[in-house]
Amino acid sequence: MSEIVKTWTEWLKNSRFSYMSEEQKQQTFLWLSQVRDKVLDRANLKQGDILIDIGTGNGLLSFGAYERLKGIGKVIASDAFIDCVEECYKIAKECGIEKEMDFIQTDATDTKLPDNSIDVVVMRSVMVHILDKSKAINEFFRILNQGGRISIFEPIISKNTKYYELMTPEKYPNYQILKEAEDKMTSDENDPLMNFDEDSLKKDFENAGFKNIDIDIVVQSSTYPVSKEMLDPWFNTPPSPRRPTVKEKYLQHLSENEVNEFIERLKQDLDGKTITVNSPTAYIYAEK
Ligand SMILES: C[S@@+](CC[C@H](N)C(=O)[O-])C[C@H]1O[C@@H](n2cnc3c(N)ncnc32)[C@H](O)[C@@H]1O
């Protein structure tokens, strides 16, 4: 298991940007603000709403929701990890608004909040880190009021462009084996990043009792030139703290020599090429 990144705040502040150019970083910030606005728009916020941001991280949705509900509603910034709750509190304190928000450490699958106590649940890129997604969705249904709303955003990583789709097959003597390994990795039921797609999420929402479920799929498509220096960070940056890197996942299926040789061949194959990578994402809205 990767020990390079130990906490979520460290990952949110640094690791996730580690392989990006300054321009890509700025694009990512812009994209994050667009996602935040769309998730909050779809939540149809109203006067009096009590809103919880599940897995707030460093407060992307919480502070956006605060701006919209300032003086007319309440925002609860929640996260399973104390470093995130403390980080949000620190930011709120710096802005002088720490008394106007609530901050709680709680797990999405067992919030300990009373039944029917919340008007709006919002969440961005948290379900993708939870193994038992139906448990979390049932929990959101339990804490929402009758008529309560949920608006979330999740990347559907299992449907991202695969490495083998970018590779020139003739350049890899064991192309078929590499393809099979990646297919196994992207359909692993025990990997929270991979064990779902928009259809399984829809089923989980229906089974929990949600109605008026609306799923908006947006495919992010990035086209950019690759240089071989970009590949080590792709393979060695963990997707979240204490989770295996892509290289570590390949090592579950292939020997160290095979993985190292594969990465070297991929560097030669992609260096100087312009690639297009598609990453489907889902905005989900539903009502209790
Ligand atoms: C990719 S970050 C997203 C943070 C934030 N929502 C945002 O949009 O920037 C994932 C967040 O989910 C939180 N998280 C992971 N598992 C969780 C769980 N079971 N319950 C609550 N939060 C969780 C992490 O601590 C982290 O802050």
Side-chain angles (χ1 to χ4, degrees):
M1 218 46 73
S2 175
E3 286 292 318
I4 313 165
V5 181
K6 291 206 164 28
T7 65
W8 267 109
T9 39
E10 191 188 338
W11 186 88
L12 285 161
K13 278 193 210 163
N14 302 316
S15 318
R16 66 170 152 172
F17 302 119
S18 65
Y19 53 86
M20 293 185 191
S21 65
E22 198 46 45
E23 191 191 340
Q24 285 174 318
K25 251 195 219 177
Q26 292 312 320
Q27 280 169 0
T28 304
F29 285 132
L30 176 66
W31 173 76
L32 283 170
S33 64
Q34 289 165 344
V35 173
R36 173 198 65 203
D37 292 346
K38 184 161 171 176
V39 169
L40 294 174
D41 287 349
R42 285 167 62 86
N44 301 324
L45 302 186
K46 296 189 183 93
Q47 176 135 13
D49 273 345
I50 300 175
L51 172 149
I52 186 163
D53 174 14
I54 304 274
T56 186
N58 49 11
L60 179 75
L61 294 179
S62 291
F63 293 115
Y66 169 82
E67 283 300 320
R68 296 183 185 213
L69 289 174
K70 196 166 28 179
I72 60 163
K74 187 165 91 171
V75 173
I76 306 168
S78 79
D79 204 285
F81 296 85
I82 193 65
D83 59 301
C84 294
V85 181
E86 286 174 353
E87 177 74 7
C88 283
Y89 183 80
K90 192 178 123 210
I91 297 169
K93 200 158 183 209
E94 280 162 11
C95 300
I97 58 170
E98 78 280 10
K99 293 201 170 61
E100 295 168 48
M101 294 171 71
D102 285 354
F103 304 87
I104 59 171
Q105 182 184 8
T106 193
D107 194 285
T109 58
D110 181 17
T111 62
K112 313 268 190 257
L113 291 168
D115 292 356
N116 311 310
S117 58
I118 298 287
D119 299 298
V120 183
V121 169
V122 291
M123 188 166 78
R124 187 199 78 91
S125 295
V126 179
M127 201 66 98
V128 69
H129 300 292
I130 296 173
L131 190 62
D132 191 344
K133 289 164 175 67
S134 60
K135 191 170 178 201
I137 292 167
N138 288 338
E139 177 66 358
F140 303 152
F141 190 82
R142 184 188 71 74
I143 62 174
L144 277 169
N145 283 325
Q146 207 55 45
R149 288 146 279 146
I150 177 163
S151 174
I152 73 171
F153 167 92
E154 293 297 329
I156 310 293
I157 298 179
S158 59
K159 293 192 174 173
N160 281 358
T161 300
K162 310 277 186 288
Y163 285 109
Y164 63 73
E165 292 171 319
L166 302 172
M167 289 153 55
T168 314
E170 310 79 78
K171 295 192 175 169
Y172 305 80
N174 56 351
Y175 178 80
Q176 201 51 37
I177 291 171
L178 293 169
K179 182 174 181 294
E180 279 163 22
E182 192 173 1
D183 279 335
K184 274 189 204 141
M185 283 157 48
T186 52
S187 58
D188 181 357
E189 276 303 309
N190 295 314
D191 183 347
L193 296 175
M194 302 296 180
N195 70 355
F196 73 108
D197 63 12
E198 65 277 22
D199 297 328
S200 68
L201 286 179
K202 183 162 193 235
K203 268 203 200 98
D204 288 342
F205 273 81
E206 283 168 352
N207 291 342
F210 281 103
K211 56 186 188 197
N212 298 333
I213 302 167
D214 177 71
I215 303 191
D216 181 7
I217 299 292
V218 178
V219 180
Q220 311 287 330
S221 189
S222 331
T223 299
Y224 54 91
V226 179
S227 67
K228 57 175 179 295
E229 292 72 34
M230 290 162 85
L231 268 75
D232 284 326
W234 287 359
F235 277 85
N236 297 314
T237 305
S240 58
R242 298 175 199 278
R243 294 291 305 168
T245 62
V246 174
K247 181 169 179 181
E248 287 167 333
K249 283 189 188 178
Y250 272 104
L251 286 169
Q252 291 166 10
H253 303 280
L254 304 166
S255 73
E256 179 126 33
N257 275 349
E258 285 172 319
V259 175
N260 289 337
E261 194 195 319
F262 161 52
I263 296 173
E264 278 318 305
R265 280 182 193 269
L266 194 64
K267 283 181 184 171
Q268 302 308 323
D269 188 6
L270 297 189
D271 191 37
K273 263 193 195 166
T274 294
I275 60 166
T276 296
V277 174
N278 293 322
S279 317
T281 63
Y283 290 86
I284 305 180
Y285 169 84
E287 293 165 8
K288 176 165 171 180

PDB file of all heavy atoms in Angstrom, residues 125-154:
ATOM      1  N   SER A 125     -17.048  13.593  -5.284  1.00  0.00           N
ATOM      2  CA  SER A 125     -15.912  12.664  -5.339  1.00  0.00           C
ATOM      3  C   SER A 125     -15.608  12.027  -3.989  1.00  0.00           C
ATOM      4  O   SER A 125     -14.461  12.014  -3.550  1.00  0.00           O
ATOM      5  CB  SER A 125     -14.657  13.382  -5.876  1.00  0.00           C
ATOM      6  OG  SER A 125     -14.861  13.764  -7.194  1.00  0.00           O
ATOM      7  N   VAL A 126     -16.635  11.524  -3.359  1.00  0.00           N
ATOM      8  CA  VAL A 126     -16.456  10.838  -2.071  1.00  0.00           C
ATOM      9  C   VAL A 126     -16.913   9.382  -2.201  1.00  0.00           C
ATOM     10  O   VAL A 126     -16.232   8.458  -1.747  1.00  0.00           O
ATOM     11  CB  VAL A 126     -17.249  11.556  -0.950  1.00  0.00           C
ATOM     12  CG1 VAL A 126     -17.079  10.830   0.382  1.00  0.00           C
ATOM     13  CG2 VAL A 126     -16.802  13.002  -0.843  1.00  0.00           C
ATOM     14  N   MET A 127     -18.054   9.197  -2.905  1.00  0.00           N
ATOM     15  CA  MET A 127     -18.563   7.835  -3.096  1.00  0.00           C
ATOM     16  C   MET A 127     -17.479   6.946  -3.700  1.00  0.00           C
ATOM     17  O   MET A 127     -17.382   5.757  -3.391  1.00  0.00           O
ATOM     18  CB  MET A 127     -19.749   7.927  -4.066  1.00  0.00           C
ATOM     19  CG  MET A 127     -20.663   6.766  -3.984  1.00  0.00           C
ATOM     20  SD  MET A 127     -21.477   6.711  -2.403  1.00  0.00           S
ATOM     21  CE  MET A 127     -22.998   7.478  -2.854  1.00  0.00           C
ATOM     22  N   VAL A 128     -16.676   7.530  -4.566  1.00  0.00           N
ATOM     23  CA  VAL A 128     -15.619   6.815  -5.261  1.00  0.00           C
ATOM     24  C   VAL A 128     -14.563   6.256  -4.287  1.00  0.00           C
ATOM     25  O   VAL A 128     -13.778   5.396  -4.646  1.00  0.00           O
ATOM     26  CB  VAL A 128     -15.024   7.786  -6.317  1.00  0.00           C
ATOM     27  CG1 VAL A 128     -14.258   8.908  -5.678  1.00  0.00           C
ATOM     28  CG2 VAL A 128     -14.218   7.117  -7.379  1.00  0.00           C
ATOM     29  N   HIS A 129     -14.595   6.727  -3.042  1.00  0.00           N
ATOM     30  CA  HIS A 129     -13.652   6.228  -2.027  1.00  0.00           C
ATOM     31  C   HIS A 129     -14.333   5.336  -0.990  1.00  0.00           C
ATOM     32  O   HIS A 129     -13.697   4.929  -0.021  1.00  0.00           O
ATOM     33  CB  HIS A 129     -12.961   7.412  -1.337  1.00  0.00           C
ATOM     34  CG  HIS A 129     -12.194   8.264  -2.312  1.00  0.00           C
ATOM     35  ND1 HIS A 129     -11.057   7.822  -2.948  1.00  0.00           N
ATOM     36  CD2 HIS A 129     -12.438   9.507  -2.790  1.00  0.00           C
ATOM     37  CE1 HIS A 129     -10.623   8.771  -3.778  1.00  0.00           C
ATOM     38  NE2 HIS A 129     -11.437   9.794  -3.701  1.00  0.00           N
ATOM     39  N   ILE A 130     -15.625   5.080  -1.178  1.00  0.00           N
ATOM     40  CA  ILE A 130     -16.374   4.272  -0.197  1.00  0.00           C
ATOM     41  C   ILE A 130     -16.635   2.895  -0.810  1.00  0.00           C
ATOM     42  O   ILE A 130     -17.209   2.795  -1.900  1.00  0.00           O
ATOM     43  CB  ILE A 130     -17.704   4.972   0.157  1.00  0.00           C
ATOM     44  CG1 ILE A 130     -17.420   6.309   0.852  1.00  0.00           C
ATOM     45  CG2 ILE A 130     -18.574   4.075   1.026  1.00  0.00           C
ATOM     46  CD1 ILE A 130     -18.659   7.144   1.098  1.00  0.00           C
ATOM     47  N   LEU A 131     -16.241   1.855  -0.093  1.00  0.00           N
ATOM     48  CA  LEU A 131     -16.393   0.503  -0.640  1.00  0.00           C
ATOM     49  C   LEU A 131     -17.872   0.125  -0.750  1.00  0.00           C
ATOM     50  O   LEU A 131     -18.339  -0.298  -1.784  1.00  0.00           O
ATOM     51  CB  LEU A 131     -15.625  -0.491   0.239  1.00  0.00           C
ATOM     52  CG  LEU A 131     -15.498  -1.890  -0.314  1.00  0.00           C
ATOM     53  CD1 LEU A 131     -14.733  -1.899  -1.640  1.00  0.00           C
ATOM     54  CD2 LEU A 131     -14.801  -2.806   0.689  1.00  0.00           C
ATOM     55  N   ASP A 132     -18.604   0.316   0.366  1.00  0.00           N
ATOM     56  CA  ASP A 132     -20.009  -0.099   0.398  1.00  0.00           C
ATOM     57  C   ASP A 132     -20.898   1.104   0.065  1.00  0.00           C
ATOM     58  O   ASP A 132     -21.379   1.820   0.949  1.00  0.00           O
ATOM     59  CB  ASP A 132     -20.336  -0.666   1.789  1.00  0.00           C
ATOM     60  CG  ASP A 132     -21.689  -1.350   1.801  1.00  0.00           C
ATOM     61  OD1 ASP A 132     -22.483  -1.121   0.861  1.00  0.00           O
ATOM     62  OD2 ASP A 132     -21.967  -2.096   2.767  1.00  0.00           O
ATOM     63  N   LYS A 133     -21.113   1.303  -1.236  1.00  0.00           N
ATOM     64  CA  LYS A 133     -21.831   2.496  -1.682  1.00  0.00           C
ATOM     65  C   LYS A 133     -23.306   2.460  -1.305  1.00  0.00           C
ATOM     66  O   LYS A 133     -23.880   3.487  -0.934  1.00  0.00           O
ATOM     67  CB  LYS A 133     -21.668   2.654  -3.196  1.00  0.00           C
ATOM     68  CG  LYS A 133     -20.224   3.064  -3.495  1.00  0.00           C
ATOM     69  CD  LYS A 133     -19.819   2.893  -4.896  1.00  0.00           C
ATOM     70  CE  LYS A 133     -18.431   3.427  -5.139  1.00  0.00           C
ATOM     71  NZ  LYS A 133     -17.340   2.693  -4.483  1.00  0.00           N
ATOM     72  N   SER A 134     -23.927   1.272  -1.348  1.00  0.00           N
ATOM     73  CA  SER A 134     -25.356   1.232  -1.031  1.00  0.00           C
ATOM     74  C   SER A 134     -25.581   1.576   0.443  1.00  0.00           C
ATOM     75  O   SER A 134     -26.571   2.215   0.798  1.00  0.00           O
ATOM     76  CB  SER A 134     -25.962  -0.123  -1.389  1.00  0.00           C
ATOM     77  OG  SER A 134     -25.320  -1.127  -0.664  1.00  0.00           O
ATOM     78  N   LYS A 135     -24.621   1.216   1.304  1.00  0.00           N
ATOM     79  CA  LYS A 135     -24.758   1.554   2.734  1.00  0.00           C
ATOM     80  C   LYS A 135     -24.784   3.084   2.902  1.00  0.00           C
ATOM     81  O   LYS A 135     -25.595   3.631   3.649  1.00  0.00           O
ATOM     82  CB  LYS A 135     -23.580   0.939   3.516  1.00  0.00           C
ATOM     83  CG  LYS A 135     -23.772   1.007   5.002  1.00  0.00           C
ATOM     84  CD  LYS A 135     -22.736   0.198   5.746  1.00  0.00           C
ATOM     85  CE  LYS A 135     -22.957   0.345   7.248  1.00  0.00           C
ATOM     86  NZ  LYS A 135     -21.783   0.031   8.024  1.00  0.00           N
ATOM     87  N   ALA A 136     -23.893   3.785   2.198  1.00  0.00           N
ATOM     88  CA  ALA A 136     -23.855   5.252   2.299  1.00  0.00           C
ATOM     89  C   ALA A 136     -25.146   5.854   1.759  1.00  0.00           C
ATOM     90  O   ALA A 136     -25.724   6.760   2.373  1.00  0.00           O
ATOM     91  CB  ALA A 136     -22.651   5.791   1.537  1.00  0.00           C
ATOM     92  N   ILE A 137     -25.635   5.325   0.631  1.00  0.00           N
ATOM     93  CA  ILE A 137     -26.840   5.907   0.015  1.00  0.00           C
ATOM     94  C   ILE A 137     -28.067   5.673   0.910  1.00  0.00           C
ATOM     95  O   ILE A 137     -28.905   6.560   1.077  1.00  0.00           O
ATOM     96  CB  ILE A 137     -27.018   5.349  -1.417  1.00  0.00           C
ATOM     97  CG1 ILE A 137     -25.866   5.888  -2.293  1.00  0.00           C
ATOM     98  CG2 ILE A 137     -28.361   5.726  -2.010  1.00  0.00           C
ATOM     99  CD1 ILE A 137     -25.691   5.219  -3.639  1.00  0.00           C
ATOM    100  N   ASN A 138     -28.144   4.492   1.542  1.00  0.00           N
ATOM    101  CA  ASN A 138     -29.234   4.240   2.506  1.00  0.00           C
ATOM    102  C   ASN A 138     -29.137   5.211   3.678  1.00  0.00           C
ATOM    103  O   ASN A 138     -30.153   5.693   4.190  1.00  0.00           O
ATOM    104  CB  ASN A 138     -29.151   2.812   3.052  1.00  0.00           C
ATOM    105  CG  ASN A 138     -29.561   1.789   2.014  1.00  0.00           C
ATOM    106  OD1 ASN A 138     -30.272   2.110   1.060  1.00  0.00           O
ATOM    107  ND2 ASN A 138     -29.105   0.565   2.180  1.00  0.00           N
ATOM    108  N   GLU A 139     -27.917   5.503   4.110  1.00  0.00           N
ATOM    109  CA  GLU A 139     -27.716   6.418   5.229  1.00  0.00           C
ATOM    110  C   GLU A 139     -28.182   7.840   4.854  1.00  0.00           C
ATOM    111  O   GLU A 139     -28.818   8.523   5.659  1.00  0.00           O
ATOM    112  CB  GLU A 139     -26.228   6.408   5.635  1.00  0.00           C
ATOM    113  CG  GLU A 139     -25.826   7.366   6.732  1.00  0.00           C
ATOM    114  CD  GLU A 139     -26.426   7.046   8.099  1.00  0.00           C
ATOM    115  OE1 GLU A 139     -27.204   6.081   8.223  1.00  0.00           O
ATOM    116  OE2 GLU A 139     -26.133   7.804   9.046  1.00  0.00           O
ATOM    117  N   PHE A 140     -27.893   8.262   3.621  1.00  0.00           N
ATOM    118  CA  PHE A 140     -28.336   9.605   3.192  1.00  0.00           C
ATOM    119  C   PHE A 140     -29.864   9.666   3.187  1.00  0.00           C
ATOM    120  O   PHE A 140     -30.451  10.664   3.598  1.00  0.00           O
ATOM    121  CB  PHE A 140     -27.788   9.955   1.796  1.00  0.00           C
ATOM    122  CG  PHE A 140     -26.280   9.893   1.691  1.00  0.00           C
ATOM    123  CD1 PHE A 140     -25.653   9.615   0.476  1.00  0.00           C
ATOM    124  CD2 PHE A 140     -25.478  10.088   2.813  1.00  0.00           C
ATOM    125  CE1 PHE A 140     -24.271   9.542   0.384  1.00  0.00           C
ATOM    126  CE2 PHE A 140     -24.083  10.006   2.724  1.00  0.00           C
ATOM    127  CZ  PHE A 140     -23.492   9.737   1.507  1.00  0.00           C
ATOM    128  N   PHE A 141     -30.482   8.577   2.734  1.00  0.00           N
ATOM    129  CA  PHE A 141     -31.956   8.537   2.716  1.00  0.00           C
ATOM    130  C   PHE A 141     -32.493   8.650   4.140  1.00  0.00           C
ATOM    131  O   PHE A 141     -33.451   9.380   4.397  1.00  0.00           O
ATOM    132  CB  PHE A 141     -32.429   7.220   2.074  1.00  0.00           C
ATOM    133  CG  PHE A 141     -33.907   7.191   1.795  1.00  0.00           C
ATOM    134  CD1 PHE A 141     -34.417   7.779   0.649  1.00  0.00           C
ATOM    135  CD2 PHE A 141     -34.780   6.590   2.688  1.00  0.00           C
ATOM    136  CE1 PHE A 141     -35.781   7.766   0.395  1.00  0.00           C
ATOM    137  CE2 PHE A 141     -36.143   6.568   2.444  1.00  0.00           C
ATOM    138  CZ  PHE A 141     -36.647   7.160   1.285  1.00  0.00           C
ATOM    139  N   ARG A 142     -31.861   7.967   5.057  1.00  0.00           N
ATOM    140  CA  ARG A 142     -32.321   7.982   6.465  1.00  0.00           C
ATOM    141  C   ARG A 142     -32.251   9.388   7.066  1.00  0.00           C
ATOM    142  O   ARG A 142     -33.178   9.846   7.721  1.00  0.00           O
ATOM    143  CB  ARG A 142     -31.450   7.006   7.289  1.00  0.00           C
ATOM    144  CG  ARG A 142     -31.878   6.865   8.737  1.00  0.00           C
ATOM    145  CD  ARG A 142     -30.880   6.063   9.549  1.00  0.00           C
ATOM    146  NE  ARG A 142     -29.630   6.750   9.815  1.00  0.00           N
ATOM    147  CZ  ARG A 142     -29.452   7.742  10.666  1.00  0.00           C
ATOM    148  NH1 ARG A 142     -30.485   8.203  11.366  1.00  0.00           N
ATOM    149  NH2 ARG A 142     -28.273   8.303  10.835  1.00  0.00           N
ATOM    150  N   ILE A 143     -31.156  10.115   6.823  1.00  0.00           N
ATOM    151  CA  ILE A 143     -30.994  11.418   7.506  1.00  0.00           C
ATOM    152  C   ILE A 143     -31.778  12.537   6.816  1.00  0.00           C
ATOM    153  O   ILE A 143     -32.031  13.574   7.425  1.00  0.00           O
ATOM    154  CB  ILE A 143     -29.505  11.829   7.660  1.00  0.00           C
ATOM    155  CG1 ILE A 143     -28.813  12.015   6.306  1.00  0.00           C
ATOM    156  CG2 ILE A 143     -28.763  10.847   8.549  1.00  0.00           C
ATOM    157  CD1 ILE A 143     -27.387  12.571   6.401  1.00  0.00           C
ATOM    158  N   LEU A 144     -32.179  12.330   5.544  1.00  0.00           N
ATOM    159  CA  LEU A 144     -32.916  13.398   4.845  1.00  0.00           C
ATOM    160  C   LEU A 144     -34.367  13.464   5.317  1.00  0.00           C
ATOM    161  O   LEU A 144     -35.004  12.442   5.588  1.00  0.00           O
ATOM    162  CB  LEU A 144     -32.895  13.148   3.330  1.00  0.00           C
ATOM    163  CG  LEU A 144     -31.641  13.624   2.588  1.00  0.00           C
ATOM    164  CD1 LEU A 144     -31.623  13.082   1.154  1.00  0.00           C
ATOM    165  CD2 LEU A 144     -31.525  15.149   2.580  1.00  0.00           C
ATOM    166  N   ASN A 145     -34.882  14.693   5.352  1.00  0.00           N
ATOM    167  CA  ASN A 145     -36.321  14.923   5.574  1.00  0.00           C
ATOM    168  C   ASN A 145     -37.120  14.397   4.404  1.00  0.00           C
ATOM    169  O   ASN A 145     -36.590  14.320   3.291  1.00  0.00           O
ATOM    170  CB  ASN A 145     -36.597  16.438   5.581  1.00  0.00           C
ATOM    171  CG  ASN A 145     -36.175  17.067   6.869  1.00  0.00           C
ATOM    172  OD1 ASN A 145     -36.291  16.460   7.914  1.00  0.00           O
ATOM    173  ND2 ASN A 145     -35.698  18.306   6.782  1.00  0.00           N
ATOM    174  N   GLN A 146     -38.426  14.158   4.638  1.00  0.00           N
ATOM    175  CA  GLN A 146     -39.313  13.854   3.517  1.00  0.00           C
ATOM    176  C   GLN A 146     -39.257  15.049   2.560  1.00  0.00           C
ATOM    177  O   GLN A 146     -39.365  16.198   3.027  1.00  0.00           O
ATOM    178  CB  GLN A 146     -40.734  13.650   4.074  1.00  0.00           C
ATOM    179  CG  GLN A 146     -41.592  12.749   3.233  1.00  0.00           C
ATOM    180  CD  GLN A 146     -40.944  11.370   2.993  1.00  0.00           C
ATOM    181  OE1 GLN A 146     -40.412  10.761   3.925  1.00  0.00           O
ATOM    182  NE2 GLN A 146     -40.982  10.913   1.748  1.00  0.00           N
ATOM    183  N   GLY A 147     -39.030  14.819   1.296  1.00  0.00           N
ATOM    184  CA  GLY A 147     -38.897  15.936   0.331  1.00  0.00           C
ATOM    185  C   GLY A 147     -37.472  16.466   0.255  1.00  0.00           C
ATOM    186  O   GLY A 147     -37.189  17.367  -0.529  1.00  0.00           O
ATOM    187  N   GLY A 148     -36.577  15.910   1.080  1.00  0.00           N
ATOM    188  CA  GLY A 148     -35.171  16.341   1.076  1.00  0.00           C
ATOM    189  C   GLY A 148     -34.496  16.004  -0.246  1.00  0.00           C
ATOM    190  O   GLY A 148     -34.944  15.118  -0.986  1.00  0.00           O
ATOM    191  N   ARG A 149     -33.413  16.709  -0.550  1.00  0.00           N
ATOM    192  CA  ARG A 149     -32.743  16.558  -1.856  1.00  0.00           C
ATOM    193  C   ARG A 149     -31.290  16.131  -1.667  1.00  0.00           C
ATOM    194  O   ARG A 149     -30.651  16.505  -0.689  1.00  0.00           O
ATOM    195  CB  ARG A 149     -32.740  17.910  -2.585  1.00  0.00           C
ATOM    196  CG  ARG A 149     -34.071  18.352  -3.097  1.00  0.00           C
ATOM    197  CD  ARG A 149     -34.210  19.879  -3.014  1.00  0.00           C
ATOM    198  NE  ARG A 149     -34.564  20.312  -1.677  1.00  0.00           N
ATOM    199  CZ  ARG A 149     -34.164  21.448  -1.102  1.00  0.00           C
ATOM    200  NH1 ARG A 149     -33.389  22.287  -1.745  1.00  0.00           N
ATOM    201  NH2 ARG A 149     -34.542  21.760   0.128  1.00  0.00           N
ATOM    202  N   ILE A 150     -30.823  15.393  -2.658  1.00  0.00           N
ATOM    203  CA  ILE A 150     -29.400  15.036  -2.673  1.00  0.00           C
ATOM    204  C   ILE A 150     -28.844  15.393  -4.052  1.00  0.00           C
ATOM    205  O   ILE A 150     -29.493  15.151  -5.078  1.00  0.00           O
ATOM    206  CB  ILE A 150     -29.173  13.547  -2.318  1.00  0.00           C
ATOM    207  CG1 ILE A 150     -27.678  13.203  -2.420  1.00  0.00           C
ATOM    208  CG2 ILE A 150     -29.989  12.593  -3.159  1.00  0.00           C
ATOM    209  CD1 ILE A 150     -27.296  11.902  -1.708  1.00  0.00           C
ATOM    210  N   SER A 151     -27.657  16.006  -4.057  1.00  0.00           N
ATOM    211  CA  SER A 151     -27.006  16.356  -5.323  1.00  0.00           C
ATOM    212  C   SER A 151     -25.534  16.010  -5.186  1.00  0.00           C
ATOM    213  O   SER A 151     -24.856  16.523  -4.289  1.00  0.00           O
ATOM    214  CB  SER A 151     -27.180  17.849  -5.599  1.00  0.00           C
ATOM    215  OG  SER A 151     -26.440  18.237  -6.736  1.00  0.00           O
ATOM    216  N   ILE A 152     -25.076  15.105  -6.037  1.00  0.00           N
ATOM    217  CA  ILE A 152     -23.688  14.669  -5.918  1.00  0.00           C
ATOM    218  C   ILE A 152     -22.999  14.635  -7.285  1.00  0.00           C
ATOM    219  O   ILE A 152     -23.662  14.647  -8.329  1.00  0.00           O
ATOM    220  CB  ILE A 152     -23.553  13.275  -5.245  1.00  0.00           C
ATOM    221  CG1 ILE A 152     -23.989  12.150  -6.187  1.00  0.00           C
ATOM    222  CG2 ILE A 152     -24.347  13.208  -3.958  1.00  0.00           C
ATOM    223  CD1 ILE A 152     -23.661  10.756  -5.654  1.00  0.00           C
ATOM    224  N   PHE A 153     -21.686  14.591  -7.224  1.00  0.00           N
ATOM    225  CA  PHE A 153     -20.870  14.441  -8.438  1.00  0.00           C
ATOM    226  C   PHE A 153     -19.881  13.315  -8.184  1.00  0.00           C
ATOM    227  O   PHE A 153     -19.236  13.297  -7.128  1.00  0.00           O
ATOM    228  CB  PHE A 153     -20.088  15.735  -8.703  1.00  0.00           C
ATOM    229  CG  PHE A 153     -19.000  15.570  -9.732  1.00  0.00           C
ATOM    230  CD1 PHE A 153     -19.245  15.829 -11.070  1.00  0.00           C
ATOM    231  CD2 PHE A 153     -17.725  15.149  -9.368  1.00  0.00           C
ATOM    232  CE1 PHE A 153     -18.248  15.665 -12.032  1.00  0.00           C
ATOM    233  CE2 PHE A 153     -16.722  14.981 -10.317  1.00  0.00           C
ATOM    234  CZ  PHE A 153     -16.984  15.239 -11.643  1.00  0.00           C
ATOM    235  N   GLU A 154     -19.767  12.392  -9.133  1.00  0.00           N
ATOM    236  CA  GLU A 154     -18.762  11.334  -8.986  1.00  0.00           C
ATOM    237  C   GLU A 154     -18.091  11.029 -10.325  1.00  0.00           C
ATOM    238  O   GLU A 154     -18.778  10.963 -11.356  1.00  0.00           O
ATOM    239  CB  GLU A 154     -19.392  10.027  -8.476  1.00  0.00           C
ATOM    240  CG  GLU A 154     -19.915  10.097  -7.056  1.00  0.00           C
ATOM    241  CD  GLU A 154     -18.845  10.362  -5.989  1.00  0.00           C
ATOM    242  OE1 GLU A 154     -17.684   9.942  -6.165  1.00  0.00           O
ATOM    243  OE2 GLU A 154     -19.187  10.998  -4.981  1.00  0.00           O
TER     244      GLU A 154
END
